[in-house]
Amino acid sequence: ALCQLRGVGPATASAVLAQANPRIFGFMSDEALEGAGFQRQYTLAVYTEFTKDVASKAQTLGQEWSAEGVADAMWTAAMLDVHAITTADSTNIQVSCLW
């Protein structure tokens, strides 16, 4: 229904859905898509598969995780990598440990 609004595609709709129900929906950022193994294709079909994957990963990681939390972690890991940011402690999250 959101995608039927003029100028709203799957990526924009995903931002609304992730805020409305973060347990089920993650934001479809470039970094989260790529981190989950998808190409940057902003279609409903890709978002449906992406949503299933991040929700499933959240369930695997435990009750404190949500689909949006997994998507956020993927974005954060990509930003740390792009900007060559490291942390002094050994508990930093790497994309490979999420997926």
Side-chain angles (χ1 to χ4, degrees):
L2 285 173
C3 289
Q4 293 176 346
L5 296 172
R6 184 177 175 169
V8 176
T12 303
S14 77
V16 174
L17 292 170
Q19 292 304 305
N21 193 342
R23 284 232 132 324
I24 298 172
F25 301 106
F27 174 58
M28 188 183 197
S29 69
D30 296 342
E31 297 79 11
L33 277 174
E34 290 175 352
F38 293 94
Q39 298 293 319
R40 291 184 184 188
Q41 296 177 359
Y42 304 99
T43 65
L44 185 56
V46 170
Y47 184 61
T48 300
E49 289 304 309
F50 170 76
T51 297
K52 288 178 188 175
D53 285 0
V54 294
S56 175
K57 182 52 70 174
Q59 189 173 24
T60 299
L61 291 171
Q63 200 161 19
E64 67 278 0
W65 284 87
S66 66
E68 175 59 359
V70 171
D72 282 348
M74 299 302 289
W75 181 88
T76 302
M79 291 297 101
L80 290 171
D81 186 51
V82 165
H83 298 289
I85 298 170
T86 59
T87 60
D89 89 340
S90 61
T91 61
N92 60 333
I93 296 174
Q94 297 177 358
V95 173
S96 61
C97 75
L98 286 174
W99 230 261

